[in-house]
Amino acid sequence: MTYAVRARGVTKSFGDVLALETIDLDVERGEIHGLVGPNGAGKTTLLGLLLGLASPDAGSLEILGTQVGRAPSVHEGVAGFVEGPGLYPSLTARKNLATLAVLRGIEPRTRVAEVLHEVGLTEVADEPVQGFSLGMRQRLGLASALLGRPRLLVLDEASNGLDPAGKRQAHAVLTELARTGTSIILSSHRMDDVESLCSEVTILDTGRVVFSGPPATLAAEVPALDYRLVLT
Ligand code: ATP
C-alpha cells in the first residue's frame, strides 16, 4: 500500500492551546480524504503541518515517503492552501497563474494553459478575477495549486460557500485528479459537504480524532451526540 500521508501520534500546541493531540491519519495514493470538524477542531493546524507551514511538536509524520522533521520545511510534491488561495483580483486568471508560476520557478507558457483547461476556466482565462463567482475563484485557486503537479493536494474549506453547481464542478475536477493518482485532503465544517466525494473521512473535535473511516460507516460508529456535533 502506498501512503501519501502517515501520521502517528502527531501533537501540536500553540502556547497553552493543544491544537492537535496524538493524531493518527492515513491517506493513500489517489484517495480523497475529508477532514471534518467544528470551529477550533484543529483542521487548519493539521493542513498547515502537511503543507510545511509548521511542524509537529511530537509524533511521527511521513509525507510522500519522507519523514517530516521538527522545523517547518518545504514538502516536495505537496501543494494547496489554507484560508483561501490568495489571488490578485485586478489581474486576469491567466496572469494570476503566470505570476505564481514564475514565483515558483515553473515555466508558465504551456503549464498555465494546461491547468486552466483542467479546471474548466479556459474560456474566461483573460478576464479579471474580480468578476469571477466564488466557484470560479475556487477553481482558479485549485489551478494555482496544480501548477507544480503535486502528488498531494491540500485544500482548506474547499467547497465553502459554493452553490450546488459550483460544488459539482469542483468535485468533478477533484475526482479526475484522484483517478490519475493525486491524493487529496480537504477540510470542511460539514460532513454533508464531503461525504459524496471522499472515500475516507477523519473527524476532529478539539484536537482529537473522533472518527476515521468511510463516511457510510459513520452513523453506526459514532454516538449520536458526536454525529450531530459535526453536522452543525
Ligand atoms: P476553523 O474551522 O474555525 O478554521 P479549525 O478546525 O481549522 O477551525 P484550527 O484553526 O486548527 O481549527 O485551531 C485549533 C486550535 O488551535 C484553536 O483553539 C485555535 O484557537 C488554536 N490556534 C490555531 N492556530 C493558532 C496560532 N497561530 N496561535 C494560537 N492558537 C492557535
Side-chain angles (χ1 to χ4, degrees):
M1 202 171 291
T2 321
Y3 288 102
V5 180
R6 280 213 106 173
R8 291 292 176 272
V10 165
T11 296
K12 179 73 188 174
S13 299
F14 297 103
D16 292 341
V17 180
L18 189 53
L20 296 174
E21 189 177 354
T22 58
I23 297 291
D24 293 348
L25 176 73
D26 286 333
V27 182
E28 288 176 30
R29 184 165 186 270
E31 177 176 305
I32 309 183
H33 195 112
L35 193 60
V36 180
N39 282 331
K43 305 182 296 295
T44 306
T45 303
L46 183 52
L47 298 186
L49 297 184
L50 299 178
L51 286 166
L53 304 173
S55 53
D57 297 334
S60 151
L61 178 59
E62 196 181 299
I63 300 176
L64 299 170
T66 301
Q67 189 68 33
V68 169
R70 292 281 179 256
S73 59
V74 175
H75 301 159
E76 198 65 42
V78 185
F81 44 82
V82 291
E83 280 151 13
L87 302 166
Y88 302 99
S90 59
L91 300 183
T92 66
R94 194 188 306 279
K95 190 73 184 160
N96 262 279
L97 294 174
T99 306
L100 288 169
V102 170
L103 288 173
R104 294 181 202 158
I106 297 163
E107 163 57 54
R109 237 168 310 163
T110 53
R111 189 61 190 144
V112 166
E114 279 169 9
V115 294
L116 282 165
H117 176 72
E118 269 182 77
V119 302
L121 289 178
T122 302
E123 281 178 19
V124 292
D126 296 307
E127 293 176 18
V129 169
Q130 57 208 4
F132 279 22
S133 68
L134 187 55
M136 290 157 79
R137 283 173 198 238
Q138 299 275 43
R139 280 186 286 146
L140 184 56
L142 183 57
S144 74
L146 293 178
L147 280 168
R149 295 189 175 84
R151 285 176 288 146
L152 173 64
L153 192 56
V154 176
L155 303 170
D156 196 14
E157 305 285 354
S159 15
N160 219 6
L162 286 188
D163 54 72
K167 209 177 281 185
R168 266 198 305 279
Q169 281 171 330
H171 284 195
V173 175
L174 295 178
T175 304
E176 178 57 18
L177 284 166
R179 197 187 62 75
T180 52
T182 309
S183 304
I184 300 166
I185 180 155
L186 70 163
S187 77
S188 176
H189 283 111
R190 297 182 59 93
M191 190 62 198
D192 57 359
D193 245 7
V194 300
E195 61 189 344
S196 62
L197 179 66
C198 299
S199 54
E200 295 286 323
V201 169
T202 293
I203 300 178
L204 291 180
D205 187 23
T206 53
R208 276 186 242 139
V209 173
V210 294
F211 171 83
S212 191
T217 64
L218 173 66
E221 285 190 30
V222 177
L225 186 66
D226 288 339
Y227 187 51
R228 276 205 306 277
L229 179 77
V230 299
L231 286 171
T232 53

PDB file of all heavy atoms in Angstrom, residues 12-15 17-20 36-47 83 156-157 187-189 204 206-207, ligand 1:
ATOM      1  N   LYS A  12       0.446  19.038  18.333  1.00  0.00           N
ATOM      2  CA  LYS A  12       0.883  20.418  18.054  1.00  0.00           C
ATOM      3  C   LYS A  12       0.191  21.376  19.029  1.00  0.00           C
ATOM      4  O   LYS A  12      -1.036  21.366  19.165  1.00  0.00           O
ATOM      5  CB  LYS A  12       0.508  20.802  16.612  1.00  0.00           C
ATOM      6  CG  LYS A  12       0.899  22.212  16.222  1.00  0.00           C
ATOM      7  CD  LYS A  12       2.389  22.333  16.017  1.00  0.00           C
ATOM      8  CE  LYS A  12       2.838  23.758  15.811  1.00  0.00           C
ATOM      9  NZ  LYS A  12       4.304  23.857  15.764  1.00  0.00           N
ATOM     10  N   SER A  13       0.972  22.200  19.691  1.00  0.00           N
ATOM     11  CA  SER A  13       0.424  23.196  20.623  1.00  0.00           C
ATOM     12  C   SER A  13       0.799  24.596  20.158  1.00  0.00           C
ATOM     13  O   SER A  13       1.838  24.789  19.527  1.00  0.00           O
ATOM     14  CB  SER A  13       1.000  23.003  22.026  1.00  0.00           C
ATOM     15  OG  SER A  13       0.676  21.748  22.533  1.00  0.00           O
ATOM     16  N   PHE A  14      -0.063  25.535  20.504  1.00  0.00           N
ATOM     17  CA  PHE A  14       0.278  26.959  20.368  1.00  0.00           C
ATOM     18  C   PHE A  14       0.206  27.537  21.778  1.00  0.00           C
ATOM     19  O   PHE A  14      -0.894  27.728  22.295  1.00  0.00           O
ATOM     20  CB  PHE A  14      -0.711  27.678  19.450  1.00  0.00           C
ATOM     21  CG  PHE A  14      -0.692  27.164  18.034  1.00  0.00           C
ATOM     22  CD1 PHE A  14      -1.691  26.317  17.584  1.00  0.00           C
ATOM     23  CD2 PHE A  14       0.320  27.524  17.157  1.00  0.00           C
ATOM     24  CE1 PHE A  14      -1.681  25.838  16.281  1.00  0.00           C
ATOM     25  CE2 PHE A  14       0.339  27.049  15.858  1.00  0.00           C
ATOM     26  CZ  PHE A  14      -0.660  26.207  15.416  1.00  0.00           C
ATOM     27  N   GLY A  15       1.319  27.766  22.408  1.00  0.00           N
ATOM     28  CA  GLY A  15       1.312  28.198  23.816  1.00  0.00           C
ATOM     29  C   GLY A  15       0.593  27.151  24.655  1.00  0.00           C
ATOM     30  O   GLY A  15       0.935  25.969  24.622  1.00  0.00           O
ATOM     31  N   VAL A  17      -2.511  26.256  24.190  1.00  0.00           N
ATOM     32  CA  VAL A  17      -3.589  25.600  23.430  1.00  0.00           C
ATOM     33  C   VAL A  17      -3.058  24.347  22.739  1.00  0.00           C
ATOM     34  O   VAL A  17      -2.144  24.422  21.914  1.00  0.00           O
ATOM     35  CB  VAL A  17      -4.180  26.559  22.368  1.00  0.00           C
ATOM     36  CG1 VAL A  17      -5.294  25.872  21.577  1.00  0.00           C
ATOM     37  CG2 VAL A  17      -4.683  27.835  23.007  1.00  0.00           C
ATOM     38  N   LEU A  18      -3.654  23.216  23.103  1.00  0.00           N
ATOM     39  CA  LEU A  18      -3.290  21.954  22.456  1.00  0.00           C
ATOM     40  C   LEU A  18      -4.179  21.811  21.213  1.00  0.00           C
ATOM     41  O   LEU A  18      -5.331  21.397  21.296  1.00  0.00           O
ATOM     42  CB  LEU A  18      -3.524  20.803  23.443  1.00  0.00           C
ATOM     43  CG  LEU A  18      -3.019  19.423  23.064  1.00  0.00           C
ATOM     44  CD1 LEU A  18      -1.550  19.432  22.683  1.00  0.00           C
ATOM     45  CD2 LEU A  18      -3.248  18.453  24.228  1.00  0.00           C
ATOM     46  N   ALA A  19      -3.652  22.213  20.051  1.00  0.00           N
ATOM     47  CA  ALA A  19      -4.456  22.244  18.813  1.00  0.00           C
ATOM     48  C   ALA A  19      -4.650  20.849  18.238  1.00  0.00           C
ATOM     49  O   ALA A  19      -5.696  20.541  17.660  1.00  0.00           O
ATOM     50  CB  ALA A  19      -3.800  23.161  17.791  1.00  0.00           C
ATOM     51  N   LEU A  20      -3.642  19.976  18.353  1.00  0.00           N
ATOM     52  CA  LEU A  20      -3.732  18.582  17.881  1.00  0.00           C
ATOM     53  C   LEU A  20      -3.138  17.683  18.949  1.00  0.00           C
ATOM     54  O   LEU A  20      -2.024  17.936  19.435  1.00  0.00           O
ATOM     55  CB  LEU A  20      -2.941  18.395  16.577  1.00  0.00           C
ATOM     56  CG  LEU A  20      -3.418  19.159  15.348  1.00  0.00           C
ATOM     57  CD1 LEU A  20      -2.415  18.952  14.201  1.00  0.00           C
ATOM     58  CD2 LEU A  20      -4.806  18.712  14.906  1.00  0.00           C
ATOM     59  N   VAL A  36     -13.051  16.703   8.739  1.00  0.00           N
ATOM     60  CA  VAL A  36     -14.264  17.418   9.126  1.00  0.00           C
ATOM     61  C   VAL A  36     -14.207  17.735  10.611  1.00  0.00           C
ATOM     62  O   VAL A  36     -13.676  16.947  11.399  1.00  0.00           O
ATOM     63  CB  VAL A  36     -15.509  16.546   8.819  1.00  0.00           C
ATOM     64  CG1 VAL A  36     -16.795  17.257   9.217  1.00  0.00           C
ATOM     65  CG2 VAL A  36     -15.554  16.189   7.343  1.00  0.00           C
ATOM     66  N   GLY A  37     -14.790  18.875  10.980  1.00  0.00           N
ATOM     67  CA  GLY A  37     -14.861  19.199  12.403  1.00  0.00           C
ATOM     68  C   GLY A  37     -15.337  20.620  12.595  1.00  0.00           C
ATOM     69  O   GLY A  37     -15.249  21.437  11.682  1.00  0.00           O
ATOM     70  N   PRO A  38     -15.833  20.920  13.792  1.00  0.00           N
ATOM     71  CA  PRO A  38     -16.342  22.263  14.073  1.00  0.00           C
ATOM     72  C   PRO A  38     -15.205  23.280  14.220  1.00  0.00           C
ATOM     73  O   PRO A  38     -14.026  22.913  14.166  1.00  0.00           O
ATOM     74  CB  PRO A  38     -17.093  22.082  15.398  1.00  0.00           C
ATOM     75  CG  PRO A  38     -16.449  20.885  16.044  1.00  0.00           C
ATOM     76  CD  PRO A  38     -15.948  20.007  14.935  1.00  0.00           C
ATOM     77  N   ASN A  39     -15.538  24.536  14.454  1.00  0.00           N
ATOM     78  CA  ASN A  39     -14.537  25.586  14.671  1.00  0.00           C
ATOM     79  C   ASN A  39     -13.557  25.175  15.753  1.00  0.00           C
ATOM     80  O   ASN A  39     -13.965  24.661  16.794  1.00  0.00           O
ATOM     81  CB  ASN A  39     -15.219  26.880  15.161  1.00  0.00           C
ATOM     82  CG  ASN A  39     -15.863  27.626  14.021  1.00  0.00           C
ATOM     83  OD1 ASN A  39     -15.398  27.535  12.892  1.00  0.00           O
ATOM     84  ND2 ASN A  39     -16.934  28.325  14.301  1.00  0.00           N
ATOM     85  N   GLY A  40     -12.285  25.398  15.482  1.00  0.00           N
ATOM     86  CA  GLY A  40     -11.277  25.141  16.511  1.00  0.00           C
ATOM     87  C   GLY A  40     -10.911  23.685  16.675  1.00  0.00           C
ATOM     88  O   GLY A  40     -10.154  23.322  17.587  1.00  0.00           O
ATOM     89  N   ALA A  41     -11.397  22.817  15.787  1.00  0.00           N
ATOM     90  CA  ALA A  41     -11.136  21.373  15.918  1.00  0.00           C
ATOM     91  C   ALA A  41      -9.670  21.025  15.661  1.00  0.00           C
ATOM     92  O   ALA A  41      -9.179  20.010  16.143  1.00  0.00           O
ATOM     93  CB  ALA A  41     -12.017  20.595  14.943  1.00  0.00           C
ATOM     94  N   GLY A  42      -8.994  21.860  14.869  1.00  0.00           N
ATOM     95  CA  GLY A  42      -7.587  21.583  14.544  1.00  0.00           C
ATOM     96  C   GLY A  42      -7.352  21.287  13.076  1.00  0.00           C
ATOM     97  O   GLY A  42      -6.237  20.932  12.681  1.00  0.00           O
ATOM     98  N   LYS A  43      -8.381  21.464  12.242  1.00  0.00           N
ATOM     99  CA  LYS A  43      -8.271  21.141  10.811  1.00  0.00           C
ATOM    100  C   LYS A  43      -7.166  21.963  10.143  1.00  0.00           C
ATOM    101  O   LYS A  43      -6.296  21.423   9.463  1.00  0.00           O
ATOM    102  CB  LYS A  43      -9.611  21.398  10.094  1.00  0.00           C
ATOM    103  CG  LYS A  43     -10.794  20.684  10.687  1.00  0.00           C
ATOM    104  CD  LYS A  43     -12.068  20.956   9.906  1.00  0.00           C
ATOM    105  CE  LYS A  43     -12.516  22.415   9.922  1.00  0.00           C
ATOM    106  NZ  LYS A  43     -12.910  22.909  11.271  1.00  0.00           N
ATOM    107  N   THR A  44      -7.234  23.285  10.326  1.00  0.00           N
ATOM    108  CA  THR A  44      -6.257  24.164   9.662  1.00  0.00           C
ATOM    109  C   THR A  44      -4.849  23.876  10.173  1.00  0.00           C
ATOM    110  O   THR A  44      -3.877  23.892   9.408  1.00  0.00           O
ATOM    111  CB  THR A  44      -6.620  25.648   9.902  1.00  0.00           C
ATOM    112  OG1 THR A  44      -7.980  25.832   9.495  1.00  0.00           O
ATOM    113  CG2 THR A  44      -5.733  26.578   9.119  1.00  0.00           C
ATOM    114  N   THR A  45      -4.744  23.577  11.451  1.00  0.00           N
ATOM    115  CA  THR A  45      -3.427  23.253  12.022  1.00  0.00           C
ATOM    116  C   THR A  45      -2.856  22.004  11.353  1.00  0.00           C
ATOM    117  O   THR A  45      -1.686  21.980  10.948  1.00  0.00           O
ATOM    118  CB  THR A  45      -3.550  23.031  13.543  1.00  0.00           C
ATOM    119  OG1 THR A  45      -4.104  24.204  14.131  1.00  0.00           O
ATOM    120  CG2 THR A  45      -2.205  22.727  14.167  1.00  0.00           C
ATOM    121  N   LEU A  46      -3.681  20.983  11.190  1.00  0.00           N
ATOM    122  CA  LEU A  46      -3.215  19.733  10.570  1.00  0.00           C
ATOM    123  C   LEU A  46      -2.841  19.965   9.102  1.00  0.00           C
ATOM    124  O   LEU A  46      -1.791  19.507   8.635  1.00  0.00           O
ATOM    125  CB  LEU A  46      -4.299  18.654  10.699  1.00  0.00           C
ATOM    126  CG  LEU A  46      -3.958  17.264  10.166  1.00  0.00           C
ATOM    127  CD1 LEU A  46      -2.642  16.752  10.727  1.00  0.00           C
ATOM    128  CD2 LEU A  46      -5.083  16.275  10.492  1.00  0.00           C
ATOM    129  N   LEU A  47      -3.670  20.719   8.382  1.00  0.00           N
ATOM    130  CA  LEU A  47      -3.347  21.011   6.982  1.00  0.00           C
ATOM    131  C   LEU A  47      -2.042  21.815   6.891  1.00  0.00           C
ATOM    132  O   LEU A  47      -1.232  21.601   5.983  1.00  0.00           O
ATOM    133  CB  LEU A  47      -4.492  21.769   6.304  1.00  0.00           C
ATOM    134  CG  LEU A  47      -5.837  21.030   6.222  1.00  0.00           C
ATOM    135  CD1 LEU A  47      -6.832  21.835   5.399  1.00  0.00           C
ATOM    136  CD2 LEU A  47      -5.687  19.644   5.623  1.00  0.00           C
ATOM    137  N   GLU A  83      -6.957  28.805   4.328  1.00  0.00           N
ATOM    138  CA  GLU A  83      -7.583  30.128   4.379  1.00  0.00           C
ATOM    139  C   GLU A  83      -7.495  30.900   3.061  1.00  0.00           C
ATOM    140  O   GLU A  83      -7.013  32.024   3.001  1.00  0.00           O
ATOM    141  CB  GLU A  83      -7.015  30.931   5.556  1.00  0.00           C
ATOM    142  CG  GLU A  83      -7.680  30.507   6.853  1.00  0.00           C
ATOM    143  CD  GLU A  83      -6.817  30.654   8.084  1.00  0.00           C
ATOM    144  OE1 GLU A  83      -5.775  31.309   7.988  1.00  0.00           O
ATOM    145  OE2 GLU A  83      -7.189  30.096   9.111  1.00  0.00           O
ATOM    146  N   ASP A 156      -8.211  23.725   2.086  1.00  0.00           N
ATOM    147  CA  ASP A 156      -8.920  24.121   3.299  1.00  0.00           C
ATOM    148  C   ASP A 156     -10.304  24.648   2.919  1.00  0.00           C
ATOM    149  O   ASP A 156     -10.406  25.552   2.093  1.00  0.00           O
ATOM    150  CB  ASP A 156      -8.108  25.237   3.977  1.00  0.00           C
ATOM    151  CG  ASP A 156      -8.513  25.462   5.413  1.00  0.00           C
ATOM    152  OD1 ASP A 156      -9.221  24.610   5.978  1.00  0.00           O
ATOM    153  OD2 ASP A 156      -8.103  26.496   5.973  1.00  0.00           O
ATOM    154  N   GLU A 157     -11.346  24.104   3.526  1.00  0.00           N
ATOM    155  CA  GLU A 157     -12.720  24.559   3.286  1.00  0.00           C
ATOM    156  C   GLU A 157     -12.983  24.684   1.782  1.00  0.00           C
ATOM    157  O   GLU A 157     -13.451  25.706   1.301  1.00  0.00           O
ATOM    158  CB  GLU A 157     -12.978  25.918   3.963  1.00  0.00           C
ATOM    159  CG  GLU A 157     -12.679  25.943   5.441  1.00  0.00           C
ATOM    160  CD  GLU A 157     -13.734  25.238   6.280  1.00  0.00           C
ATOM    161  OE1 GLU A 157     -14.764  24.814   5.717  1.00  0.00           O
ATOM    162  OE2 GLU A 157     -13.512  25.091   7.479  1.00  0.00           O
ATOM    163  N   SER A 187     -10.643  19.947   3.862  1.00  0.00           N
ATOM    164  CA  SER A 187     -11.329  20.152   5.135  1.00  0.00           C
ATOM    165  C   SER A 187     -12.674  20.809   4.917  1.00  0.00           C
ATOM    166  O   SER A 187     -12.905  21.498   3.924  1.00  0.00           O
ATOM    167  CB  SER A 187     -10.476  21.035   6.046  1.00  0.00           C
ATOM    168  OG  SER A 187     -10.578  22.376   5.647  1.00  0.00           O
ATOM    169  N   SER A 188     -13.551  20.575   5.880  1.00  0.00           N
ATOM    170  CA  SER A 188     -14.856  21.229   5.862  1.00  0.00           C
ATOM    171  C   SER A 188     -15.430  21.233   7.272  1.00  0.00           C
ATOM    172  O   SER A 188     -15.090  20.377   8.090  1.00  0.00           O
ATOM    173  CB  SER A 188     -15.813  20.488   4.927  1.00  0.00           C
ATOM    174  OG  SER A 188     -17.082  21.086   4.992  1.00  0.00           O
ATOM    175  N   HIS A 189     -16.311  22.204   7.542  1.00  0.00           N
ATOM    176  CA  HIS A 189     -17.076  22.175   8.795  1.00  0.00           C
ATOM    177  C   HIS A 189     -18.134  21.094   8.742  1.00  0.00           C
ATOM    178  O   HIS A 189     -18.622  20.641   9.763  1.00  0.00           O
ATOM    179  CB  HIS A 189     -17.808  23.507   9.004  1.00  0.00           C
ATOM    180  CG  HIS A 189     -16.939  24.610   9.469  1.00  0.00           C
ATOM    181  ND1 HIS A 189     -16.634  25.682   8.679  1.00  0.00           N
ATOM    182  CD2 HIS A 189     -16.297  24.795  10.640  1.00  0.00           C
ATOM    183  CE1 HIS A 189     -15.846  26.490   9.366  1.00  0.00           C
ATOM    184  NE2 HIS A 189     -15.623  25.970  10.546  1.00  0.00           N
ATOM    185  N   LEU A 204     -12.376  15.499  13.389  1.00  0.00           N
ATOM    186  CA  LEU A 204     -11.632  16.043  14.524  1.00  0.00           C
ATOM    187  C   LEU A 204     -12.580  16.828  15.415  1.00  0.00           C
ATOM    188  O   LEU A 204     -13.506  17.482  14.930  1.00  0.00           O
ATOM    189  CB  LEU A 204     -10.544  17.021  14.044  1.00  0.00           C
ATOM    190  CG  LEU A 204      -9.336  16.508  13.277  1.00  0.00           C
ATOM    191  CD1 LEU A 204      -8.434  17.684  12.923  1.00  0.00           C
ATOM    192  CD2 LEU A 204      -8.574  15.493  14.102  1.00  0.00           C
ATOM    193  N   THR A 206     -11.946  19.289  18.993  1.00  0.00           N
ATOM    194  CA  THR A 206     -10.954  19.818  19.955  1.00  0.00           C
ATOM    195  C   THR A 206      -9.619  19.059  19.919  1.00  0.00           C
ATOM    196  O   THR A 206      -9.123  18.590  20.940  1.00  0.00           O
ATOM    197  CB  THR A 206     -11.511  19.849  21.404  1.00  0.00           C
ATOM    198  OG1 THR A 206     -12.002  18.544  21.740  1.00  0.00           O
ATOM    199  CG2 THR A 206     -12.619  20.863  21.558  1.00  0.00           C
ATOM    200  N   GLY A 207      -9.094  18.957  18.704  1.00  0.00           N
ATOM    201  CA  GLY A 207      -7.741  18.432  18.530  1.00  0.00           C
ATOM    202  C   GLY A 207      -7.604  16.932  18.571  1.00  0.00           C
ATOM    203  O   GLY A 207      -6.487  16.411  18.518  1.00  0.00           O
TER     204      GLY A 207
HETATM  205  P1  ATP B   1     -11.880  26.630  11.854  1.00  0.00           P
HETATM  206  O1  ATP B   1     -12.825  25.672  11.212  1.00  0.00           O
HETATM  207  O2  ATP B   1     -12.551  27.670  12.679  1.00  0.00           O
HETATM  208  O3  ATP B   1     -10.848  27.188  10.909  1.00  0.00           O
HETATM  209  P2  ATP B   1     -10.011  24.623  12.705  1.00  0.00           P
HETATM  210  O4  ATP B   1     -10.629  23.279  12.876  1.00  0.00           O
HETATM  211  O5  ATP B   1      -9.276  24.884  11.448  1.00  0.00           O
HETATM  212  O6  ATP B   1     -11.080  25.750  12.961  1.00  0.00           O
HETATM  213  P3  ATP B   1      -7.569  25.454  13.976  1.00  0.00           P
HETATM  214  O7  ATP B   1      -7.574  26.778  13.275  1.00  0.00           O
HETATM  215  O8  ATP B   1      -6.584  24.448  13.554  1.00  0.00           O
HETATM  216  O9  ATP B   1      -9.018  24.808  13.956  1.00  0.00           O
HETATM  217  O10 ATP B   1      -7.374  25.762  15.520  1.00  0.00           O
HETATM  218  C1  ATP B   1      -7.234  24.755  16.540  1.00  0.00           C
HETATM  219  C2  ATP B   1      -6.956  25.433  17.862  1.00  0.00           C
HETATM  220  O11 ATP B   1      -5.645  25.988  17.840  1.00  0.00           O
HETATM  221  C3  ATP B   1      -7.910  26.567  18.195  1.00  0.00           C
HETATM  222  O12 ATP B   1      -8.132  26.554  19.594  1.00  0.00           O
HETATM  223  C4  ATP B   1      -7.132  27.796  17.768  1.00  0.00           C
HETATM  224  O13 ATP B   1      -7.519  28.904  18.537  1.00  0.00           O
HETATM  225  C5  ATP B   1      -5.693  27.390  18.084  1.00  0.00           C
HETATM  226  N1  ATP B   1      -4.717  28.013  17.177  1.00  0.00           N
HETATM  227  C6  ATP B   1      -4.563  27.764  15.850  1.00  0.00           C
HETATM  228  N2  ATP B   1      -3.549  28.485  15.339  1.00  0.00           N
HETATM  229  C7  ATP B   1      -3.047  29.219  16.358  1.00  0.00           C
HETATM  230  C8  ATP B   1      -1.976  30.173  16.488  1.00  0.00           C
HETATM  231  N3  ATP B   1      -1.213  30.511  15.447  1.00  0.00           N
HETATM  232  N4  ATP B   1      -1.771  30.727  17.705  1.00  0.00           N
HETATM  233  C9  ATP B   1      -2.524  30.383  18.781  1.00  0.00           C
HETATM  234  N5  ATP B   1      -3.536  29.490  18.734  1.00  0.00           N
HETATM  235  C10 ATP B   1      -3.800  28.916  17.545  1.00  0.00           C
END
